């Protein structure tokens, strides 16, 4: 078994915001003092914490805090980050900025628990991520000089999850939080989508699965080296998931948990954070990327749950970004081959993020702040929209049935489309040979390669004679049948460009944007969970069966001259693992003979429901 230390370094960097500021432009060391402390939690565990305080002590500052499992490095009081705080503007104007290694990670004591469960009504020395945040804030307010008694939390990805956790039973000094791409539930974010295991995340199981023996500044794990850039072939050759035990043994705690909990049982349910978001008091700004391949469920549902249960200030920002793009300062914003506009992240940082934090941490926090309820980028029209609510309230339903002759129609038909799904020849999620941790570019990727496969059903409109804007929810209500007893169902929403579409600077050289099939939204449903994520059940062979798939929200104008296309397939490899297509209680324990070729049918009364703004 070959292991690759460099993979850890690249992986670690992939979680961090990349700002285009040089050390020469702004030297943090000239403007900030740095201290490192170990803060005691209520059970006595010490959490390693790094504090950057402005050298100008003539005034008081709020505290901006990020808790992270990815290290608060660099360690050593003479070692400084080149950039601190959510963005350069907040850094330059002065804030007390705090980074903390969460319990059980890096230089902090304790045992790490991946997506540690929230404990309601804690007593005594009971702890969770909410209480660790509370105890940290309490210490900071009492011990850090020149703080103004106000704290804000923020973070992207897993640190975004810890920002969400800070809102539960929040400390009174916590005035605001910006969870950005925060994980909401590991059964719907990151490691699973609607119960389907994301094989693309398998390598990162090393990052979260191994326990360390004590505080450390060095990585205590390595990522498996595939030995090839052809990850499709690698995972196909591996065969059933159980064969991956060669790479992760019993000492990888998270790999064992994944295998032992294939269903949405108490183990996963207790680790979800969304259900705990009630009566939230601090101001919240949820941020997400409309093309975030890792965390879309969490941000959307965090905002919606708080909006439903709380009376606090609660807004959201969703741009044409992949995971964490908003924290970068890239002049041309693109995802994969598709360009969306210039300086979108800088505009967000300067005019939304900085204004949000300053209002609640440096202003009086009262009165109106000049920000919209929901900023959502129109990824087809290439412009920002501001909404008074999300989803917008002034919408109506627009439906498309999967009709005859590959057409999207306005009425149900008695059409039946069949295809053969072969686990030995699964449909890829893209047409590139590239080994990546979590694929990002496929979220806008060209789907022509899939449309030309016999095991992918294609339905599309005629060329649009006028713009058609789809905003908000998407629900696919499929009626299907299979000759087997198990199947996955994948639905993709695609914008088909006209033949004369011009290329972008970012378009790969071997591609042409003419007739480009841009994926706008996609989702998978592991069919065994069609009625319950807790209690899976097989299909009855050859029986017409409903399968509903909720896709994440969109805000996309299909322009005049384009076409709306829907693709339906049953494999999506190696983004998700292969379904044996014969029912087994636990796919992690499936054997080679369980993987069988089956024929699937999609009926013409299957419908895709969208929302459109009323005129």
């Amino acid at each position: 078994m070959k292991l690759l230390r460099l993979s850890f370094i690249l992986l670690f960097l992939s979680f961090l915001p990349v700002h285009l500021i040089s050390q020469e432009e702004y030297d943090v060391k000239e403007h900030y003092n740095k201290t490192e402390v170990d803060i005691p939690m209520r059970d006595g565990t010490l959490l390693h914490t790094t504090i950057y305080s402005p050298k100008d002590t003539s005034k008081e500052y709020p505290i901006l805090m990020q808790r992270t499992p990815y290290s608060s490095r660099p360690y050593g009081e003479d070692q400084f980050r080149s950039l601190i705080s959510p963005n350069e503007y907040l850094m330059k104007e002065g804030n007390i900025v705090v980074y903390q290694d969460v319990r059980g990670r890096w230089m902090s004591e304790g045992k790490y628990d991946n997506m540690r469960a929230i404990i309601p009504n804690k007593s005594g020395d009971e702890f969770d991520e909410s209480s660790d945040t509370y105890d940290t804030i309490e210490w900071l307010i009492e011990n850090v000089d020149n703080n103004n008694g106000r704290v804000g939390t923020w973070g992207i990805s897993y640190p975004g999850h810890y920002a969400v956790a800070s809102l539960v039973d929040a400390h009174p000094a916590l005035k605001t939080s910006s969870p950005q791409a925060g994980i909401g539930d590991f059964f719907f974010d990151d490691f699973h989508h609607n119960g389907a295991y994301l094989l693309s995340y398998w390598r990162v199981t090393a990052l979260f699965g191994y326990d360390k023996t004590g505080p450390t500044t060095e990585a205590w794990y390595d990522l498996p080296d595939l030995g090839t850039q052809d990850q499709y072939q690698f995972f196909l050759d591996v065969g059933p998931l159980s064969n991956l035990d060669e790479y992760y043994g019993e000492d990888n705690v998270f790999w064992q948990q994944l295998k032992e909990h294939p269903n949405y049982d108490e183990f996963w349910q207790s680790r979800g954070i969304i259900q705990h978001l009630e009566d939230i008091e601090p101001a919240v700004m949820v941020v997400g990327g409309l093309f975030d391949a890792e965390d879309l469920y969490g941000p959307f549902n965090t905002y919606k749950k708080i909006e439903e249960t709380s009376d606090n200030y609660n807004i959201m920002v969703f741009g044409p970004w992949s995971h964490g793009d908003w924290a970068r300062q890239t002049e041309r914003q693109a995802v994969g081959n598709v360009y969306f506009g210039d300086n979108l992240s800088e505009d967000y940082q300067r005019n939304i993020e900085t204004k949000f934090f300053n209002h609640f941490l440096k202003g009086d926090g009262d009165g109106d702040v000049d920000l919209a309820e929901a900023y959502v980028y129109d990824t087809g029209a290439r412009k920002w929209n501001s909404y008074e609510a999300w989803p917008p309230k002034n919408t109506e339903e627009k439906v498309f049935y999967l009709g005859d002759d590959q057409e999207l129609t306005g009425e149900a038909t008695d059409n039946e489309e069949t295809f053969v799904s072969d686990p030995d020849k699964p449909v890829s999620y893209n047409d590139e040979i590239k080994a990546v941790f979590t694929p990002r570019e496929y979220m806008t990727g060209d789907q022509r390669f899939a449309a030309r496969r016999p095991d992918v059903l294609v339905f599309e409109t005629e060329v649009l004679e006028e713009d058609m804007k789809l905003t908000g929810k998407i629900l696919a209500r499929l009626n299907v049948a299979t000759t087997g007893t198990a199947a996955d169902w994948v639905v993709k929403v695609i914008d088909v460009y006209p033949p004369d579409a011009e290329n972008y600077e970012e378009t790969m050289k071997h591609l042409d944007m003419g007739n480009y099939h841009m994926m706008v939204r996609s989702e998978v449903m592991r069919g065994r969970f069609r009625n319950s994520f807790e209690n899976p059940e097989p299909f009855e062979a050859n029986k017409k069966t409903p399968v509903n798939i909720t896709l994440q929200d969109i805000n996309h104008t299909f322009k005049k001259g384009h076409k709306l296309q829907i693709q339906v397939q049953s494999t999506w490899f190696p983004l998700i693992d292969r379904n044996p297509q014969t029912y087994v209680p636990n796919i992690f324990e499936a054997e080679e003979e369980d993987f069988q070729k089956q024929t699937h049918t999609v009926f013409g009364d299957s419908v895709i429901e969208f929302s459109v703004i009323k005129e």
Side-chain angles (χ1 to χ4, degrees):
M1 177 177 66
K2 291 192 295 182
L3 297 173
L4 196 63
R5 175 74 65 176
L6 178 61
S7 292
F8 157 71
I9 299 172
L10 297 175
L11 175 63
F12 174 76
L13 292 174
S14 74
F15 289 108
L16 299 179
V18 179
H19 302 263
L20 298 183
I21 304 176
S22 67
Q23 188 76 11
E24 290 71 29
E25 289 177 327
Y26 187 88
D27 188 349
V28 175
K29 197 170 186 177
E30 287 185 6
H31 299 275
Y32 285 85
N33 294 315
K34 179 187 176 187
T35 58
E36 295 185 18
V37 297
D38 294 320
I39 299 178
M41 299 295 102
R42 61 191 60 185
D43 67 332
T45 299
L46 299 177
L47 300 191
H48 190 77
T49 308
T50 299
I51 304 168
Y52 293 89
S53 299
K55 288 186 175 181
D56 178 3
T57 59
S58 64
K59 54 185 175 181
E60 295 182 335
Y61 302 91
I63 296 172
L64 283 168
M65 181 172 68
Q66 179 183 114
R67 304 184 67 244
T68 178
Y70 301 132
S71 173
S72 61
R73 62 177 53 180
Y75 298 107
E77 294 191 351
D78 61 339
Q79 301 296 313
F80 283 67
R81 292 191 178 209
S82 59
L83 293 133
I84 58 174
S85 85
N87 64 55
E88 65 164 297
Y89 308 106
L90 289 165
M91 172 181 68
K92 289 179 177 179
E93 68 183 32
N95 287 280
I96 298 168
V97 183
V98 175
Y99 295 92
Q100 183 179 78
D101 293 336
V102 297
R103 183 181 292 258
R105 301 292 286 185
W106 299 93
M107 287 295 289
S108 286
E109 296 179 348
K111 184 176 177 59
Y112 180 65
D113 192 356
N114 207 10
M115 291 288 286
R116 188 186 305 275
I118 292 290
I119 302 174
N121 305 314
K122 289 177 285 294
S123 61
D125 60 359
E126 286 185 317
F127 62 87
D128 55 20
E129 302 303 342
S130 171
S131 69
D132 280 355
T133 310
Y134 189 105
D135 294 349
T136 300
I137 292 175
E138 182 78 6
W139 190 96
L140 293 170
I141 292 296
E142 293 181 357
N143 292 278
V144 176
D145 293 337
N146 298 106
N147 80 81
N148 70 359
R150 298 181 182 183
V151 179
T153 56
W154 98 98
I156 297 172
S157 194
Y158 218 141
H161 166 76
Y162 292 116
V164 177
S166 74
L167 295 168
V168 181
D169 300 324
H171 191 285
L174 182 66
K175 302 302 180 183
T176 187
S177 180
S178 182
Q180 303 178 4
I183 306 161
D185 192 310
F186 264 171
F187 211 69
F188 305 98
D189 278 313
D190 287 341
F191 286 91
H192 301 86
H193 275 208
N194 291 323
Y197 172 59
L198 261 71
L199 192 57
S200 60
Y201 260 69
W202 171 76
R203 288 182 74 202
V204 81
T205 308
L207 181 64
F208 301 113
Y210 294 111
D211 290 332
K212 64 184 180 68
T213 56
T216 179
T217 62
E218 301 297 327
W220 57 98
Y221 52 84
D222 291 282
L223 303 184
D225 180 10
L226 305 187
T228 176
Q229 286 295 306
D230 193 346
Q231 58 184 5
Y232 181 104
Q233 193 63 50
F234 171 83
F235 285 112
L236 198 62
D237 290 345
V238 163
L241 292 176
S242 58
N243 291 340
L244 290 171
D245 287 342
E246 174 187 348
Y247 296 87
Y248 295 142
E250 293 185 1
D251 58 335
N252 190 303
V253 177
F254 190 51
W255 178 241
Q256 303 307 317
Q257 292 170 337
L258 285 164
K259 295 192 301 177
E260 293 166 5
H261 302 278
N263 308 323
Y264 195 50
D265 57 14
E266 175 61 23
F267 176 83
W268 294 115
Q269 291 178 32
S270 67
R271 280 162 166 72
I273 191 91
I274 304 298
Q275 64 266 32
H276 297 288
L277 299 177
E278 296 183 353
D279 300 322
I280 301 302
E281 295 184 3
V284 177
M285 181 177 69
V286 176
V287 182
L290 290 166
F291 299 112
D292 190 334
E294 301 178 44
D295 300 294
L296 265 176
Y297 173 91
F300 272 125
N301 285 280
T302 295
Y303 168 80
K304 291 176 182 178
K305 182 66 172 182
I306 293 175
E307 196 69 10
E308 173 190 333
T309 65
S310 307
D311 294 325
N312 66 324
Y313 183 90
N314 182 45
I315 66 173
M316 58 173 265
V317 183
F318 279 78
W321 297 310
S322 62
H323 196 63
D325 281 350
W326 53 90
R328 301 175 173 92
Q329 287 194 351
T330 305
E331 181 177 351
R332 289 177 60 86
Q333 175 58 37
V335 178
N337 298 300
V338 184
Y339 162 76
F340 293 101
D342 289 345
N343 299 313
L344 301 181
S345 297
E346 181 182 0
D347 290 344
Y348 152 76
Q349 292 171 30
R350 182 194 298 269
N351 300 316
I352 299 176
E353 185 174 50
T354 298
K355 183 182 294 186
F356 171 77
F357 278 115
N358 282 345
H359 178 80
F360 292 101
L361 296 180
K362 294 184 175 179
D364 58 16
D366 297 324
D368 293 331
V369 54
D370 184 23
L371 293 173
E373 174 73 15
Y375 293 101
V376 188
Y377 199 81
D378 185 323
T379 52
R382 308 298 199 268
K383 63 180 182 180
W384 285 102
N385 295 143
S386 298
Y387 295 105
E388 296 179 355
W390 188 267
K393 294 181 179 179
N394 59 327
T395 60
E396 58 187 3
E397 187 178 84
K398 188 174 184 67
V399 302
F400 292 96
Y401 288 91
L402 309 184
D404 297 319
D405 301 320
Q406 298 187 338
E407 291 183 353
L408 287 175
T409 68
E411 297 181 356
T413 71
D414 58 3
N415 180 50
E416 297 180 11
E417 295 284 350
T418 64
F419 64 96
V420 175
S421 178
D422 186 351
D424 291 335
K425 296 181 179 179
V427 181
S428 178
Y429 71 92
N430 69 7
D431 61 349
E432 298 180 51
I433 304 299
K434 182 169 63 174
V436 294
F437 152 57
T438 299
R440 297 185 179 193
E441 297 176 355
Y442 86 96
M443 292 290 284
T444 63
D446 188 2
Q447 299 300 304
R448 278 177 283 195
F449 77 96
R452 295 164 182 169
R453 284 187 56 130
D455 50 357
V456 177
L457 300 182
V458 176
F459 307 88
E460 63 182 21
T461 64
E462 297 293 332
V463 174
L464 298 176
E465 297 182 357
E466 59 184 19
D467 290 356
M468 178 178 65
K469 181 169 183 171
L470 304 180
T471 300
K473 70 171 186 177
I474 310 172
L475 176 62
R477 293 195 289 111
L478 303 183
N479 288 305
V480 301
T482 175
T483 55
T485 52
D488 293 334
W489 301 94
V490 178
V491 172
K492 298 184 288 189
V493 178
I494 294 162
D495 185 340
V496 179
Y497 283 37
D500 60 352
E502 295 183 358
N503 291 344
Y504 305 116
E505 289 182 17
E506 293 77 10
T507 304
M508 287 186 288
K509 301 303 182 184
H510 68 279
L511 282 180
D512 194 314
M513 296 306 292
N515 199 41
Y516 188 86
H517 286 32
M518 172 190 169
M519 192 166 75
V520 177
R521 188 59 77 232
S522 57
E523 193 55 276
V524 58
M525 170 61 75
R526 180 135 285 174
R528 65 179 57 215
F529 299 120
R530 64 193 181 277
N531 295 321
S532 169
F533 289 109
E534 297 92 335
N535 301 301
E537 56 188 290
F539 286 93
E540 182 179 332
N542 300 309
K543 180 181 179 180
K544 184 177 180 179
T545 305
V547 174
N548 294 333
I549 308 174
T550 299
L551 287 74
Q552 300 303 329
D553 297 355
I554 64 169
N555 191 49
H556 187 88
T557 295
F558 291 78
K559 302 288 287 184
K560 176 182 177 181
H562 292 227
K563 293 187 287 187
L564 166 64
Q565 182 184 99
I566 302 295
Q567 291 184 8
V568 180
Q569 60 200 61
S570 192
T571 51
W572 211 16
F573 188 77
L575 186 67
I576 63 169
D577 66 311
R578 298 178 303 149
N579 193 317
Q581 302 192 142
T582 53
Y583 187 85
V584 294
N586 186 343
I587 289 180
F588 286 91
E589 298 175 357
E591 299 179 356
E592 192 69 53
E593 57 268 25
D594 296 320
F595 290 80
Q596 298 292 324
K597 184 188 303 183
Q598 303 292 352
T599 299
H600 300 331
T601 300
V602 176
F603 295 91
D605 55 355
S606 298
V607 63
I608 313 296
E609 299 177 355
F610 296 99
S611 294
V612 298
I613 302 289
K614 294 180 182 178
E615 297 183 357

